Amino acid sequence: MSALFFSTISVALAEIGDKTQLLALLLATRFKKPAPIILAITIATLANHGLAAALGNYLNHLINPNNLSWIAAAGFILMGMWILIPDKLDDTPTKTQHWGAFLTTLVLFFLVEIGDKTQIATIVLATHYSATLQVITGTTVGMLLANVPVVVLGRFAADKLPLQWIRWVTALLFILLGTVTLLIS
């Protein structure tokens, strides 16, 4: 699978029910301004996943290539298992509301994404594929595929998605990629 395709699909599926998607829903219901929220999500994701992909690329050059395949495979398998654990949105600071929809979304989305499943997935994807720009583009598009409908449609979209089924399929994809990586290394 290409880096762009797998990055897009895996992050779009991993983001369903994730805390950043719950944050997007919260911000959409609070501000009721989809355009600045979507723009801020895009910029925050590009920045966050750009840093994550750069770290993955750095690790790719730092770690012995023989060990890197094993580490990437373990990362994919662990990511698959982690996805099965549903996220809950932690207490979100409400003091940021006076910043407006764009700045509040930009800051909160960037911060909440730190250490998140999709950021870790971006690091792992960047170590696995040598196409950093494709990984950043794919993970950003995946985030937007998962979050834009939530921002635009709000609560209706979140209530209608089969979250448990989506988690299982996504987990299976990551575990399958990890297994394939082990087999070819």
Side-chain angles (χ1 to χ4, degrees):
M1 257 188 252
S2 79
L4 179 64
F5 177 77
F6 191 76
S7 296
T8 301
I9 297 303
S10 60
V11 167
L13 291 172
E15 180 65 8
I16 306 283
D18 193 70
K19 65 185 172 191
T20 46
Q21 189 180 49
L22 297 173
L23 176 62
L25 175 62
L26 174 74
L27 293 166
T29 57
R30 180 176 294 164
F31 290 107
K32 297 174 182 46
K33 295 179 180 180
I37 292 171
I38 293 167
L39 180 60
I41 288 172
T42 304
I43 294 168
T45 301
L46 281 169
N48 193 293
H49 288 198
L51 292 171
L55 176 60
N57 192 31
Y58 174 72
L59 292 174
N60 196 8
H61 291 42
L62 182 69
I63 298 172
N64 180 330
N66 296 331
N67 296 333
L68 192 59
S69 292
W70 289 91
I71 294 169
F76 283 128
I77 292 168
L78 290 171
M79 184 62 55
M81 293 187 299
W82 187 13
I83 285 170
L84 294 174
I85 303 168
D87 272 340
K88 294 183 176 86
L89 187 62
D90 302 325
D91 293 278
T92 303
T94 56
K95 295 177 182 176
T96 57
Q97 190 165 359
H98 68 278
W99 291 353
F102 176 79
L103 190 56
T104 299
T105 303
L106 183 70
V107 171
L108 289 179
F109 209 86
F110 182 86
L111 292 175
V112 169
E113 185 63 12
I114 294 173
D116 194 58
K117 285 181 262 202
T118 50
Q119 185 191 42
I120 304 299
T122 303
I123 294 169
V124 172
L125 287 162
T127 62
H128 183 70
Y129 295 106
S130 297
T132 306
L133 187 57
Q134 288 183 31
V135 169
I136 295 167
T137 302
T139 58
T140 301
V141 170
M143 288 291 270
L144 293 173
L145 286 173
N147 285 300
V148 169
V150 170
V151 171
V152 173
L153 300 175
R155 189 88 186 138
F156 175 77
D159 288 343
K160 300 299 178 191
L161 293 172
L163 297 180
Q164 188 62 31
W165 183 82
I166 291 168
R167 272 190 204 94
W168 279 99
V169 169
T170 306
L172 181 63
L173 284 173
F174 271 101
I175 292 169
L176 183 62
L177 183 62
T179 304
V180 169
T181 302
L182 281 174
L183 292 174
I184 62 173
S185 59

